[in-house]
Amino acid sequence: TLDAVIADPPLLAAAAGDPSKVIGKAVRKDFGKVSALVEEAIEAPPGPDRDFALHEARKKAKRTRYAAEAATPPLGTPARTLAKSMKSLTSLLGEHQDSVMVREILRELSAVAHAVGESSFTYGVLYGREEQRAAGVEAALPGAWEEIVAEGSVQV
């Protein structure tokens, strides 16, 4: 079966096209999805819906980064620029997601501490710091996104 697949691979019709055009189209499509998700997240009010939208944007940015890295041989500098931009965006959004997860754990630890009669004040202080960290990322995102778009990442 493997020999048959190798001899006659089940490729899409696009596989016969110009690699730079086919790959470029695929990477632009991924970037378009990232763009829509980032814009949605920026417009969402702070809270769980924004947190979810930012996490979805992070996952799609990671996919787009890997696609751009794979597209670097046929596309060159534009793909390399996009990969670098998506890496930066993924890092920023990852910091936000880390804060979301830490706050969830802090809530659980606080409840456990309270249930056994211990003070949960410190957990609240740490939670507040994590909220500030997430708010800082959310405040930085529109400017970071504008830079990504301005530097021509969409020119793949």
Side-chain angles (χ1 to χ4, degrees), residues 27 68-69 71-85 151-156:
V27 173
E69 287 174 348
T72 298
L75 301 179
T77 301
R80 196 172 5 270
T81 300
L82 178 59
K84 181 180 173 189
S85 295
E151 69 185 11
S153 294
V154 295
Q155 301 300 322
V156 175

mmCIF file of all heavy atoms in Angstrom, residues 27 68-69 71-85 151-156:
data_model
loop_
_atom_site.group_PDB
_atom_site.id
_atom_site.type_symbol
_atom_site.label_atom_id
_atom_site.label_comp_id
_atom_site.label_asym_id
_atom_site.label_seq_id
_atom_site.Cartn_x
_atom_site.Cartn_y
_atom_site.Cartn_z
ATOM 1 N N VAL A 27 -0.365 30.344 2.949
ATOM 2 C CA VAL A 27 0.139 31.130 4.081
ATOM 3 C C VAL A 27 -0.697 32.405 4.255
ATOM 4 O O VAL A 27 -1.030 32.779 5.378
ATOM 5 C CB VAL A 27 1.635 31.447 3.900
ATOM 6 C CG1 VAL A 27 2.132 32.405 4.971
ATOM 7 C CG2 VAL A 27 2.449 30.161 3.929
ATOM 8 N N ALA A 68 4.707 29.576 7.635
ATOM 9 C CA ALA A 68 5.625 30.558 7.043
ATOM 10 C C ALA A 68 7.063 30.042 7.066
ATOM 11 O O ALA A 68 7.819 30.261 6.107
ATOM 12 C CB ALA A 68 5.509 31.890 7.774
ATOM 13 N N GLU A 69 7.444 29.367 8.143
ATOM 14 C CA GLU A 69 8.797 28.799 8.200
ATOM 15 C C GLU A 69 8.987 27.754 7.106
ATOM 16 O O GLU A 69 10.035 27.717 6.454
ATOM 17 C CB GLU A 69 9.065 28.196 9.579
ATOM 18 C CG GLU A 69 9.272 29.244 10.657
ATOM 19 C CD GLU A 69 9.386 28.671 12.057
ATOM 20 O OE1 GLU A 69 9.078 27.470 12.265
ATOM 21 O OE2 GLU A 69 9.769 29.434 12.964
ATOM 22 N N ALA A 71 7.451 27.727 4.354
ATOM 23 C CA ALA A 71 7.350 28.407 3.063
ATOM 24 C C ALA A 71 8.562 29.270 2.750
ATOM 25 O O ALA A 71 8.664 29.833 1.666
ATOM 26 C CB ALA A 71 6.091 29.275 3.049
ATOM 27 N N THR A 72 9.500 29.368 3.671
ATOM 28 C CA THR A 72 10.661 30.233 3.462
ATOM 29 C C THR A 72 11.490 29.846 2.230
ATOM 30 O O THR A 72 11.887 30.733 1.467
ATOM 31 C CB THR A 72 11.531 30.299 4.733
ATOM 32 O OG1 THR A 72 10.732 30.865 5.772
ATOM 33 C CG2 THR A 72 12.757 31.154 4.528
ATOM 34 N N PRO A 73 11.758 28.557 1.970
ATOM 35 C CA PRO A 73 12.566 28.255 0.773
ATOM 36 C C PRO A 73 11.976 28.812 -0.536
ATOM 37 O O PRO A 73 12.698 29.486 -1.270
ATOM 38 C CB PRO A 73 12.645 26.727 0.769
ATOM 39 C CG PRO A 73 12.541 26.366 2.218
ATOM 40 C CD PRO A 73 11.559 27.359 2.789
ATOM 41 N N PRO A 74 10.687 28.616 -0.816
ATOM 42 C CA PRO A 74 10.206 29.180 -2.077
ATOM 43 C C PRO A 74 9.854 30.665 -2.003
ATOM 44 O O PRO A 74 9.897 31.360 -3.012
ATOM 45 C CB PRO A 74 8.953 28.355 -2.395
ATOM 46 C CG PRO A 74 8.469 27.872 -1.078
ATOM 47 C CD PRO A 74 9.711 27.684 -0.245
ATOM 48 N N LEU A 75 9.525 31.189 -0.819
ATOM 49 C CA LEU A 75 9.041 32.572 -0.729
ATOM 50 C C LEU A 75 10.077 33.562 -0.218
ATOM 51 O O LEU A 75 9.915 34.761 -0.382
ATOM 52 C CB LEU A 75 7.789 32.640 0.156
ATOM 53 C CG LEU A 75 6.601 31.804 -0.303
ATOM 54 C CD1 LEU A 75 5.441 31.939 0.667
ATOM 55 C CD2 LEU A 75 6.176 32.191 -1.709
ATOM 56 N N GLY A 76 11.104 33.066 0.462
ATOM 57 C CA GLY A 76 12.188 33.941 0.897
ATOM 58 C C GLY A 76 11.856 34.883 2.036
ATOM 59 O O GLY A 76 11.153 34.533 2.987
ATOM 60 N N THR A 77 12.344 36.115 1.909
ATOM 61 C CA THR A 77 12.256 37.110 2.976
ATOM 62 C C THR A 77 10.827 37.385 3.456
ATOM 63 O O THR A 77 10.616 37.495 4.668
ATOM 64 C CB THR A 77 12.937 38.427 2.535
ATOM 65 O OG1 THR A 77 14.300 38.138 2.225
ATOM 66 C CG2 THR A 77 12.885 39.473 3.627
ATOM 67 N N PRO A 78 9.845 37.516 2.595
ATOM 68 C CA PRO A 78 8.490 37.775 3.109
ATOM 69 C C PRO A 78 8.006 36.677 4.067
ATOM 70 O O PRO A 78 7.400 36.983 5.104
ATOM 71 C CB PRO A 78 7.620 37.838 1.848
ATOM 72 C CG PRO A 78 8.555 38.213 0.759
ATOM 73 C CD PRO A 78 9.861 37.567 1.123
ATOM 74 N N ALA A 79 8.293 35.432 3.757
ATOM 75 C CA ALA A 79 7.883 34.334 4.636
ATOM 76 C C ALA A 79 8.681 34.368 5.936
ATOM 77 O O ALA A 79 8.131 34.131 7.015
ATOM 78 C CB ALA A 79 8.062 32.990 3.940
ATOM 79 N N ARG A 80 9.949 34.682 5.843
ATOM 80 C CA ARG A 80 10.789 34.780 7.040
ATOM 81 C C ARG A 80 10.287 35.911 7.946
ATOM 82 O O ARG A 80 10.227 35.771 9.161
ATOM 83 C CB ARG A 80 12.249 35.016 6.628
ATOM 84 C CG ARG A 80 13.248 34.759 7.708
ATOM 85 C CD ARG A 80 14.716 34.817 7.258
ATOM 86 N NE ARG A 80 15.042 35.214 5.901
ATOM 87 C CZ ARG A 80 15.164 34.376 4.861
ATOM 88 N NH1 ARG A 80 14.967 33.093 5.011
ATOM 89 N NH2 ARG A 80 15.480 34.814 3.666
ATOM 90 N N THR A 81 9.896 37.032 7.349
ATOM 91 C CA THR A 81 9.359 38.167 8.111
ATOM 92 C C THR A 81 8.058 37.778 8.793
ATOM 93 O O THR A 81 7.830 38.101 9.968
ATOM 94 C CB THR A 81 9.131 39.375 7.177
ATOM 95 O OG1 THR A 81 10.376 39.742 6.592
ATOM 96 C CG2 THR A 81 8.550 40.557 7.929
ATOM 97 N N LEU A 82 7.199 37.079 8.069
ATOM 98 C CA LEU A 82 5.929 36.646 8.655
ATOM 99 C C LEU A 82 6.179 35.672 9.804
ATOM 100 O O LEU A 82 5.553 35.779 10.856
ATOM 101 C CB LEU A 82 5.027 36.006 7.603
ATOM 102 C CG LEU A 82 3.688 35.466 8.109
ATOM 103 C CD1 LEU A 82 2.858 36.572 8.753
ATOM 104 C CD2 LEU A 82 2.915 34.811 6.976
ATOM 105 N N ALA A 83 7.075 34.744 9.634
ATOM 106 C CA ALA A 83 7.383 33.778 10.694
ATOM 107 C C ALA A 83 7.874 34.503 11.942
ATOM 108 O O ALA A 83 7.449 34.189 13.063
ATOM 109 C CB ALA A 83 8.424 32.768 10.216
ATOM 110 N N LYS A 84 8.745 35.485 11.757
ATOM 111 C CA LYS A 84 9.258 36.260 12.889
ATOM 112 C C LYS A 84 8.122 37.020 13.573
ATOM 113 O O LYS A 84 8.041 37.055 14.805
ATOM 114 C CB LYS A 84 10.334 37.232 12.393
ATOM 115 C CG LYS A 84 10.963 38.062 13.476
ATOM 116 C CD LYS A 84 12.014 39.006 12.913
ATOM 117 C CE LYS A 84 12.502 39.957 13.986
ATOM 118 N NZ LYS A 84 13.349 41.007 13.449
ATOM 119 N N SER A 85 7.244 37.615 12.798
ATOM 120 C CA SER A 85 6.105 38.348 13.362
ATOM 121 C C SER A 85 5.170 37.428 14.135
ATOM 122 O O SER A 85 4.697 37.777 15.220
ATOM 123 C CB SER A 85 5.310 39.034 12.248
ATOM 124 O OG SER A 85 6.085 40.014 11.627
ATOM 125 N N GLU A 151 4.688 46.234 9.036
ATOM 126 C CA GLU A 151 5.984 45.786 8.533
ATOM 127 C C GLU A 151 5.868 44.888 7.309
ATOM 128 O O GLU A 151 6.846 44.384 6.795
ATOM 129 C CB GLU A 151 6.798 45.088 9.627
ATOM 130 C CG GLU A 151 6.284 43.765 10.070
ATOM 131 C CD GLU A 151 7.083 43.206 11.246
ATOM 132 O OE1 GLU A 151 7.886 43.919 11.833
ATOM 133 O OE2 GLU A 151 6.869 42.026 11.565
ATOM 134 N N GLY A 152 4.649 44.695 6.853
ATOM 135 C CA GLY A 152 4.468 43.975 5.608
ATOM 136 C C GLY A 152 4.372 42.489 5.733
ATOM 137 O O GLY A 152 4.653 41.771 4.773
ATOM 138 N N SER A 153 3.985 41.998 6.894
ATOM 139 C CA SER A 153 3.869 40.557 7.074
ATOM 140 C C SER A 153 2.852 39.936 6.138
ATOM 141 O O SER A 153 2.907 38.752 5.883
ATOM 142 C CB SER A 153 3.489 40.251 8.537
ATOM 143 O OG SER A 153 4.530 40.633 9.381
ATOM 144 N N VAL A 154 1.954 40.738 5.631
ATOM 145 C CA VAL A 154 0.920 40.187 4.748
ATOM 146 C C VAL A 154 1.410 40.127 3.293
ATOM 147 O O VAL A 154 0.656 39.762 2.410
ATOM 148 C CB VAL A 154 -0.386 41.022 4.835
ATOM 149 C CG1 VAL A 154 -0.973 40.918 6.212
ATOM 150 C CG2 VAL A 154 -0.144 42.470 4.489
ATOM 151 N N GLN A 155 2.652 40.467 3.034
ATOM 152 C CA GLN A 155 3.182 40.505 1.670
ATOM 153 C C GLN A 155 3.689 39.156 1.170
ATOM 154 O O GLN A 155 4.414 39.097 0.201
ATOM 155 C CB GLN A 155 4.311 41.537 1.587
ATOM 156 C CG GLN A 155 3.891 42.931 1.960
ATOM 157 C CD GLN A 155 2.787 43.471 1.069
ATOM 158 O OE1 GLN A 155 2.763 43.224 -0.135
ATOM 159 N NE2 GLN A 155 1.850 44.177 1.664
ATOM 160 N N VAL A 156 3.333 38.096 1.858
ATOM 161 C CA VAL A 156 3.802 36.760 1.473
ATOM 162 C C VAL A 156 3.225 36.400 0.118
ATOM 163 O O VAL A 156 2.132 36.662 -0.225
ATOM 164 C CB VAL A 156 3.395 35.720 2.532
ATOM 165 C CG1 VAL A 156 3.777 34.329 2.083
ATOM 166 C CG2 VAL A 156 4.045 36.039 3.846
#
